[in-house]
Amino acid sequence: MPLSLDLLAAPVLRCLHHIRLSRIIAMLLVILIVIPLITHWYLGSVDGTSQRHDLPGLDTPGIFQDMDPKELRHHVHELHRIKSSVSNELLELESKRQRLQGSISHYNGEVEQAKVELETARNELNALKLQLRQTQKELEETMEAHRPRVAQPHRILPSENDNVLIAPPAASSSCRQHTCFDYSRCSLTSGFPVYVYPTEDSIFPLDSYIQDVTLSSLEQNLYLSSNPATACVYVVIVGTLASRLEAKDMERKLTSLPYWRGDGRNHILINLARDYSAENVLRNIETGRAMVVQSEFMFSQYRAGFDIVIPPVFTWESGRGAFDSIPPQVPAHRKHLFSFVGEKDSPGVVVSEKGELFYKDDASLNRNGATGEVDVLADLVAIENNDEDNLLVKVTCGGETVQGLRGEWQLCGKPQERQQVLRESTFSIIIVAGKLKTSSVLSSVLTTVRLYESLKYGAVPVILGEQVQLPFSEVIDWQQAAFVFPLARVSELHFFLRTVSDSDLLRMRLQGRFLWETYLSSPQAVLNTVLSVVRTRISIPPKTVPEEPSPTVYNEDTYPLLLEEVEPISETGMEFGPVEPPYDSPKFLRNFTTSVVDKHTLWNTFPGPFYLYPYLPTDPVLPSEAKFMGSGLGFRPINKGSGGAGKEFQESLGGNVPREQFTIVMLTYERESVLINSLQRLIGLPYLNKVLVVWNSPNLPSEDLRWPDIGVPIVVIRTKKNSLNNRFLPYDVIETEAILSIDDDAHLRHDEILFGFRVWREARDRVVGFPGRFHAWDGSHQSWLYNSNYSCELSMVLTGAAFFHKYYAYLYSYVMPQVIRDKVDEYLNCEDIAMNFLVSHITRKPPIKVTSRWTFRCPGCPQALSHDDSHFQERHKCINFFVQVYGYMPLLNTQFRVDSVLFKTRLPHDKQKCFKFI
């Protein structure tokens, strides 16, 4: 009987249930090899035996001749039976082989699935371990942050009849801030409340103009208080009509002020006289411990560090933003190298036939050599006569003049005439009043007027005479905007001015315009500056910058019900699972130190010292070792400082600043399906704090619109109107320094977003993003063009996909000229250009473009506005209009682009790149 294959395979199959999977696979492989061999041997044995025993000599010729037909049929039938049996067994064996191969494939799949699950489990375990370490770190940092170190300062609220004694100075003329100011009324947390005596009930009657100017300006002041009992300082407005009072009457009225308290402590007397005869009306008045604020001071009258010099009232304009009356910053050099136009008040100065200057009708001054001012003007006239450059020096007016102190150089002509001269002058000569017959002049009205007009019209001031007190010089660094020389340098003046480079010249001109706009240009600017100077002296931080409310389109009770879980969109470069739970950026860590340590910087850089911001992109960075030695609060160094490649890089944020997250602000307008798809792509995005959807449409979202659950809050903001400026409002729900502004149709991968975020953390004062553009010069029309073509240079990164600091949202909404936001609303365009202008204007740096992407994929999006030709025409107009407002082109070109570390670098098999697909 032939050996049955079932009997051979049965024991093998029974053993499969008791052997481990790896041994099963090995046995199956052995079976697949052994069974064919056994079969081959068996068939060979059967065939050989049949030939030898059953059919002997079959291959011998004539073998069938000895057989009868019946025996022959029997043999043939037997052969057919054997053949059929073998064929069936072979078919059955093939079927079993195929079933075994299917089982092997199934087990292989299970093995691979088990490997994937094992790897996933390991990753989850590592993530849990990482999260546990981070939680422990957060707990330690929380305990460290809340550990009390110093006592919290408390606000002191003195009573109305407060008579706190302070050390009396020898005389009011010796008053200084530390001897005459009562600090007990102004605690560090008081908020600097200011009480202004009502102008309509003032003891010094004011004309209608001063009343209007004062009321409209002070009503907008951040520190105005209606409660005099708890006020820190008291403001008294002194007008022109006060000049009609006798000195004793004025002193009596001062002491009768309800909160004068005997010596005028913490009072500020602001002299807003509008004529020169009354400009120094407080000169011979005993003002006690009250500060005096006016335009004109004598040396004997001014108390350094206590009194304040301001520009005269008649220079004040109705408001800021008169950009159309201000000449552009370029070209650097104008028609005249420098100019001086003035006439000496009696005794006058005349020019002889030889070009010599001398005093008219005063033989003693001519005989004794006078004050030296004649020599100065003689040198200037000689330079003009002998120099080939086009200089302008006029020492006689020949028409209308504006008189000041007796013996001072008068202003010539009307403001329009002086404006034309300054517009054509690179530098403007200002000769200080110096020593007159009566006393030495520290600051005069006409000197301040010349400085004011020079700054406004872009003629860099050159002040001759060092003994001069310029407006707000206590906090303003005038050397950044003006040259100050002694009179003895006048003969070398033209040589020095020719050495000034174009870059220095334009920088000083730009700084001069900033100082004029911020501190001198309007009544509100001047009065705000006066109060800010006093506040800075006593180290009280400014008021907190306002934030924009964030009303949602849904009620708080119904909004969470609209969330639903959705399957994440699978995409290359997608990463899942936030590295850390939501974490808000700490605020106001430097509120008091900024007012003291950064005082010089705050006063002399845009936007000025009037607001306290929760954080700045220029906050100082610690040395690298500090994060490991005593100052590690919040830091997440890579691999605890040991560094590493991609694996370690993904586990920690690293960098030079403590950990942080970013907020996505997404502007949308009735593109619900596109919006939802974009939101779904954010599922599992690391370091994401929350998403703000700025719903720019007046129509609310559809009732059946379902918002995806992306693991972080989605706040849908209801806007007041359809405005692209809404994209940059500093909403109060934005609690991170980093903002990712993104269009609802932008298609960014997770690794691209994370790469941009990490780059921004190292360039926090810049716009960092993806689509690059540039401004191009149109030589035929002498104007600027907006260009979106491929280029090796760029100057803008569009905010349809860009990171920027929240600080710039405050500046865009509250400090940037309103006319720019109005132009954005007019065109419904150009908000991204406006933001690039603003940041480049402040930093004088270009933006940073990351990765090599230029466009975004948006399958199924409707036609975009940018495809319309009018869109580009409007952007051309916007650029030229913004240049006119700023007075120059702030945008800077860059040929720099950022790619990932280890990009195109060959790594060992056990290492990983920082970003696999970038």
Side-chain angles (χ1 to χ4, degrees):
M1 291 293 295
L3 183 62
S4 176
L5 293 179
D6 291 336
L7 296 178
L8 294 175
V12 177
L13 295 176
R14 283 198 300 269
C15 294
L16 290 178
H17 299 286
H18 305 286
I19 303 177
R20 295 179 59 179
L21 183 60
S22 60
R23 294 183 179 179
I24 292 174
I25 295 175
M27 291 180 64
L28 290 175
L29 294 175
V30 171
I31 291 170
L32 291 177
I33 296 173
V34 171
I35 288 178
L37 293 176
I38 294 175
T39 304
H40 177 73
W41 172 81
Y42 171 74
L43 293 177
S45 300
V46 171
D47 185 64
T49 304
S50 300
Q51 291 180 358
R52 285 193 303 268
H53 302 285
D54 295 336
L55 296 174
L58 190 63
D59 55 347
T60 305
I63 189 173
F64 296 105
Q65 296 178 0
D66 299 333
M67 291 185 182
D68 56 10
K70 183 177 180 180
E71 186 179 2
L72 184 60
R73 283 195 305 270
H74 174 73
H75 282 288
V76 172
H77 178 73
E78 185 67 19
L79 289 175
H80 281 291
R81 186 187 64 78
I82 294 173
K83 179 182 178 182
S84 177
S85 175
V86 171
S87 297
N88 291 335
E89 290 178 357
L90 288 175
L91 291 175
E92 185 177 354
L93 183 62
E94 178 64 21
S95 177
K96 290 180 178 180
R97 188 182 67 82
Q98 291 179 356
R99 287 198 300 270
L100 289 175
Q101 285 183 339
S103 299
I104 292 174
S105 300
H106 173 71
Y107 290 133
N108 286 336
E110 290 184 351
V111 169
E112 294 299 324
Q113 181 66 25
K115 289 181 179 179
V116 172
E117 292 176 356
L118 178 61
E119 186 66 23
T120 302
R122 286 176 179 172
N123 293 336
E124 291 178 354
L125 179 60
N126 292 335
L128 289 174
K129 290 180 179 179
L130 177 61
Q131 187 172 358
L132 179 60
R133 291 196 300 267
Q134 291 171 348
T135 303
Q136 292 174 342
K137 182 70 174 177
E138 290 174 10
L139 179 60
E140 295 172 0
E141 292 176 345
T142 302
M143 295 177 64
E144 179 70 18
H146 289 81
R147 184 176 300 158
R149 290 191 176 90
V150 296
Q152 175 71 20
H154 61 281
R155 181 176 178 179
I156 301 174
L157 299 177
S159 65
E160 184 176 347
N161 299 320
D162 177 36
N163 290 309
V164 176
L165 296 178
I166 55 179
S172 62
S173 60
S174 64
C175 265
R176 296 297 182 266
Q177 184 70 24
H178 65 282
T179 60
C180 289
F181 191 83
D182 182 7
Y183 283 85
S184 67
R185 301 195 63 87
C186 307
S187 69
L188 292 176
T189 58
S190 64
F192 191 63
V194 176
Y195 177 76
V196 180
Y197 286 95
T199 54
E200 60 271 13
D201 300 330
S202 175
I203 59 171
F204 306 115
L206 306 176
D207 58 40
S208 58
Y209 174 78
I210 295 299
Q211 285 195 28
D212 294 340
V213 166
T214 304
L215 288 177
S216 61
S217 300
L218 291 177
E219 283 177 355
Q220 304 176 43
N221 192 273
L222 300 172
Y223 307 100
L224 195 62
S225 173
S226 59
N227 185 5
T230 60
C232 171
V233 296
Y234 301 84
V235 175
V236 181
I237 304 298
V238 180
T240 303
L241 299 180
S243 62
R244 303 175 187 176
L245 299 175
E246 297 292 335
K248 292 183 179 179
D249 293 335
M250 184 173 292
E251 291 177 2
R252 186 165 50 252
K253 287 181 175 295
L254 283 175
T255 56
S256 66
L257 289 170
Y259 308 102
W260 189 257
R261 295 186 176 88
D263 53 12
R265 68 187 69 172
N266 293 29
H267 276 63
I268 305 175
L269 306 180
I270 303 180
N271 184 0
L272 299 183
R274 284 201 296 156
D275 59 67
Y276 297 104
S277 60
E279 181 62 39
N280 202 354
V281 68
L282 298 175
R283 177 179 178 184
N284 298 316
I285 304 300
E286 177 57 45
T287 58
R289 287 186 166 95
M291 303 175 192
V292 176
V293 179
Q294 59 186 24
S295 300
E296 184 177 290
F297 283 98
M298 300 299 172
F299 266 99
S300 59
Q301 176 189 9
Y302 181 75
R303 297 168 291 184
F306 197 67
D307 296 330
I308 301 174
V309 179
I310 61 173
V313 176
F314 70 85
T315 62
W316 298 355
E317 300 183 1
S318 58
R320 299 172 62 179
F323 62 90
D324 51 350
S325 64
I326 301 175
Q329 302 289 301
V330 291
H333 293 277
R334 298 176 176 177
K335 178 179 179 181
H336 306 299
L337 176 63
F338 63 78
S339 65
F340 176 83
V341 179
E343 181 174 298
K344 190 73 173 180
D345 193 9
S346 180
V349 176
V350 297
V351 184
S352 67
E353 295 179 356
K354 299 180 180 181
E356 298 176 345
L357 279 76
F358 62 90
Y359 282 107
K360 176 180 64 178
D361 301 330
D362 199 321
S364 62
L365 288 176
N366 289 319
R367 184 172 55 254
N368 297 327
T371 62
E373 294 179 9
V374 172
D375 297 333
V376 171
L377 267 299
D379 286 336
L380 291 178
V381 172
I383 292 172
E384 181 189 31
N385 293 337
N386 299 327
D387 200 288
E388 59 184 13
D389 287 344
N390 192 0
L391 309 181
L392 179 62
V393 178
K394 292 184 179 180
V395 295
T396 56
C397 291
E400 183 178 342
T401 61
V402 180
Q403 297 183 351
L405 298 172
R406 183 165 179 80
E408 187 178 14
W409 286 95
Q410 303 173 13
L411 287 172
C412 293
K414 298 180 180 180
Q416 294 80 4
E417 298 173 354
R418 299 196 297 272
Q419 170 185 342
Q420 185 59 35
V421 172
L422 293 173
R423 281 175 172 269
E424 297 176 349
S425 303
T426 306
F427 299 95
S428 172
I429 305 299
I430 302 174
I431 303 177
V432 300
K435 187 174 182 179
L436 303 181
K437 284 187 175 182
T438 55
S439 62
S440 296
V441 180
L442 183 66
S443 66
S444 69
V445 173
L446 295 189
T447 298
T448 308
V449 171
R450 289 182 184 274
L451 175 67
Y452 177 95
E453 293 181 344
S454 298
L455 295 176
K456 180 178 179 180
Y457 299 114
V460 177
V462 179
I463 302 172
L464 296 179
E466 294 177 293
Q467 292 184 331
V468 60
Q469 192 73 18
L470 300 178
F472 308 119
S473 57
E474 177 182 343
V475 289
I476 294 178
D477 184 4
W478 284 105
Q479 291 184 346
Q480 295 185 19
F483 292 112
V484 181
F485 293 108
L487 293 174
R489 288 291 185 192
V490 64
S491 60
E492 300 174 304
L493 188 62
H494 68 291
F495 168 75
F496 175 84
L497 295 182
R498 288 194 185 93
T499 66
V500 180
S501 65
D502 287 2
S503 59
D504 287 333
L505 176 58
L506 291 174
R507 180 182 58 84
M508 296 183 70
R509 185 176 293 165
L510 186 62
Q511 180 69 5
R513 176 167 174 176
F514 160 70
L515 296 177
W516 174 79
E517 284 185 333
T518 308
Y519 305 120
L520 311 177
S521 62
S522 67
Q524 182 179 355
V526 173
L527 294 175
N528 285 346
T529 304
V530 170
L531 296 179
S532 294
V533 168
V534 178
R535 176 186 55 74
T536 301
R537 287 177 180 174
I538 58 180
S539 303
I540 295 180
K543 286 286 187 181
T544 302
V545 65
E547 293 196 303
E548 189 71 15
S550 308
T552 65
V553 298
Y554 300 105
N555 296 326
E556 294 183 358
D557 296 335
T558 60
Y559 173 67
L561 301 178
L562 298 174
L563 299 177
E564 66 175 3
E565 293 187 2
V566 297
E567 291 294 329
I569 299 176
S570 178
E571 182 182 359
T572 301
M574 182 78 70
E575 297 186 24
F576 297 94
V579 174
E580 292 186 332
Y583 176 77
D584 300 335
S585 297
K587 298 181 179 179
F588 303 108
L589 295 179
R590 306 183 64 247
N591 49 358
F592 290 100
T593 54
T594 299
S595 305
V596 179
V597 177
D598 295 338
K599 177 179 71 173
H600 180 273
T601 302
L602 290 177
W603 277 91
N604 293 280
T605 56
F606 187 89
F610 301 121
Y611 283 117
L612 177 65
Y613 298 91
Y615 18 59
L616 297 174
T618 55
D619 284 343
V621 177
L622 288 170
S624 292
E625 66 269 25
K627 69 183 73 171
F628 306 106
M629 302 169 61
S631 301
L633 194 65
F635 284 95
R636 298 292 185 269
I638 304 298
N639 199 13
K640 298 182 179 181
S642 300
K647 180 180 179 298
E648 296 80 9
F649 180 75
Q650 298 298 333
E651 294 178 352
S652 302
L653 190 55
N656 301 311
V657 295
R659 64 167 175 156
E660 61 184 327
Q661 297 176 345
F662 61 91
T663 301
I664 288 181
V665 177
M666 186 177 295
L667 190 71
T668 189
Y669 189 94
E670 297 183 354
R671 297 202 293 187
E672 296 179 354
S673 61
V674 174
L675 170 65
I676 297 302
N677 287 334
S678 295
L679 291 174
Q680 290 181 19
R681 283 192 291 269
L682 302 177
I683 294 175
L685 177 60
Y687 306 114
L688 178 60
N689 185 274
K690 65 169 62 74
V691 177
L692 266 67
V693 177
V694 181
W695 194 266
N696 230 20
S697 171
N699 301 320
L700 295 181
S702 305
E703 295 182 359
D704 57 349
L705 182 62
R706 310 296 294 178
W707 298 90
D709 183 4
I710 62 174
V712 297
I714 299 177
V715 182
V716 187
I717 303 296
R718 184 178 68 250
T719 58
K720 298 177 182 178
K721 63 177 183 178
N722 178 22
S723 171
L724 294 179
N725 293 315
N726 295 332
R727 161 174 284 172
F728 301 128
L729 286 173
Y731 294 106
D732 53 11
V733 296
I734 299 177
E735 298 176 297
T736 61
E737 297 183 53
I739 296 177
L740 173 57
S741 174
I742 191 169
D743 289 337
D744 58 358
D745 59 355
H747 196 158
L748 287 174
R749 302 193 311 261
H750 283 197
D751 55 349
E752 291 174 318
I753 294 176
L754 294 179
F755 178 53
F757 176 54
R758 289 180 181 270
V759 171
W760 174 86
R761 296 185 76 238
E762 299 186 22
R764 310 173 71 84
D765 60 339
R766 316 273 279 274
V767 176
V768 177
F770 301 90
R773 301 291 186 267
F774 66 97
H775 63 294
W777 180 249
D778 183 359
S780 58
H781 297 89
Q782 296 293 294
S783 63
W784 295 105
L785 296 174
Y786 171 83
N787 202 309
S788 62
N789 295 329
Y790 289 96
S791 174
C792 295
E793 278 191 335
L794 59 92
S795 58
M796 291 176 280
V797 166
L798 301 188
T799 53
F803 285 92
F804 63 89
H805 199 284
K806 188 180 179 182
Y807 171 71
Y808 296 125
Y810 295 113
L811 301 188
Y812 185 99
S813 302
Y814 304 141
V815 181
M816 188 181 71
Q818 179 62 40
V819 291
I820 294 181
R821 294 190 292 273
D822 293 340
K823 184 63 68 173
V824 170
D825 285 336
E826 177 186 347
Y827 287 150
L828 276 178
N829 198 346
C830 306
E831 84 288 355
D832 45 3
I833 300 177
M835 177 59 83
N836 277 271
F837 264 68
L838 174 66
V839 177
S840 294
H841 172 65
I842 296 171
T843 63
R844 304 305 301 128
K845 299 176 184 178
I848 294 179
K849 174 177 168 50
V850 294
T851 78
S852 59
R853 288 168 61 89
W854 284 78
T855 57
F856 298 114
R857 295 176 291 118
C858 181
C861 289
Q863 186 76 3
L865 291 175
S866 58
H867 294 168
D868 188 359
D869 183 63
S870 62
H871 172 82
F872 288 94
Q873 296 301 323
E874 291 169 353
R875 292 171 85 80
H876 299 327
K877 296 176 182 178
C878 284
I879 284 185
N880 288 282
F881 178 75
F882 296 165
V883 168
Q884 184 182 5
V885 174
Y886 281 97
Y888 76 113
M889 167 54 78
L891 298 179
L892 295 173
N893 292 315
T894 180
Q895 302 170 9
F896 177 72
R897 191 194 79 192
V898 178
D899 285 316
S900 169
V901 175
L902 302 183
F903 176 64
K904 290 186 176 180
T905 301
R906 295 183 179 275
L907 296 182
H909 69 279
D910 58 338
K911 298 296 183 181
Q912 178 184 325
K913 291 187 177 181
C914 309
F915 297 92
K916 296 181 182 179
F917 304 102
I918 296 180

